[in-house]
Amino acid sequence: MRFLLLAATAAVADVTLDDTIRLLKGVRDDLEMAESKHDESHQTLVGGCAAFDDAKRKAAAESSGRLATLAARLTSEAAAEAATDAELKHIKKERLDAKDTTDKTTQMRDKERQEAETRVSDNEKQLEMLEAGLKIILDTKKAMEMEAEAKAANQMT
């Protein structure tokens, strides 16, 4: 900026060599100060980028850790759920097996009861037939005895 001022002043007025040297030193000082500020800004920017990169890495590491923890927890929960499902299926199967066994046992008992009732009925019929046969035999025997008595009584008379 002073350089422009120097050039404008030199063109317009008659400037001494000492004034020009002073102005040039001032311009050099301004340039050095600007360069120093530029270097500071550059260092600040580099430091900010490094800090940003560090923060980004830390956040990524934390996120990765959280994701790993969450994935482990989800895997654990999924395994527990699968085990629970397997146990429930096993229990349901046992219940169905027990029900089938109970149904089969009930059917077998019903069948055995029917067979026993049939045997009892058959036995009762056979008993009735035997009783009827025995009655016929007894009646025949009685009739024969009466006939023999009658013949004996007729022979005696």
Side-chain angles (χ1 to χ4, degrees):
M1 182 103 152
R2 284 187 184 177
F3 182 73
L4 292 175
L5 183 64
L6 173 67
T9 307
V12 173
D14 190 22
V15 179
T16 64
L17 185 57
D18 288 337
D19 291 335
T20 305
I21 291 174
R22 245 182 292 126
L23 285 174
L24 287 175
K25 283 183 180 179
V27 169
R28 185 185 66 201
D29 291 343
D30 287 345
L31 286 174
E32 287 175 356
M33 187 181 298
E35 186 177 351
S36 173
K37 285 183 182 182
H38 172 73
D39 288 344
E40 288 175 17
S41 296
H42 180 70
Q43 290 301 322
T44 302
L45 180 62
V46 168
C49 288
F52 176 76
D53 288 344
D54 287 345
K56 188 169 70 171
R57 276 191 289 277
K58 286 179 184 177
E62 287 177 13
S63 294
S64 178
R66 286 187 202 138
L67 286 175
T69 302
L70 181 59
R73 193 162 90 214
L74 287 175
T75 302
S76 173
E77 288 175 4
E81 186 175 338
T84 302
D85 286 347
E87 184 66 23
L88 285 174
K89 285 179 183 178
H90 180 70
I91 289 170
K92 286 179 182 178
K93 185 179 182 302
E94 284 180 348
R95 284 183 181 170
L96 286 174
D97 290 347
K99 185 179 182 299
D100 288 346
T101 302
T102 302
D103 290 347
K104 287 178 183 176
T105 303
T106 302
Q107 289 173 355
M108 287 174 55
R109 285 182 185 164
D110 288 346
K111 184 179 177 183
E112 288 173 357
R113 187 178 334 110
Q114 287 175 348
E115 289 173 355
E117 288 174 357
T118 302
R119 283 193 304 268
V120 167
S121 176
D122 290 346
N123 289 342
E124 286 175 351
K125 288 178 186 175
Q126 286 179 354
L127 184 59
E128 287 174 6
M129 288 172 38
L130 288 174
E131 286 175 349
L134 184 59
K135 186 176 178 185
I136 291 171
I137 292 172
L138 288 176
D139 287 345
T140 305
K141 182 180 175 189
K142 192 175 186 180
M144 288 171 75
E145 285 175 359
M146 287 174 68
E147 190 179 311
E149 283 178 13
K151 278 187 185 180
N154 278 340
Q155 283 184 353
M156 285 201 168
T157 43

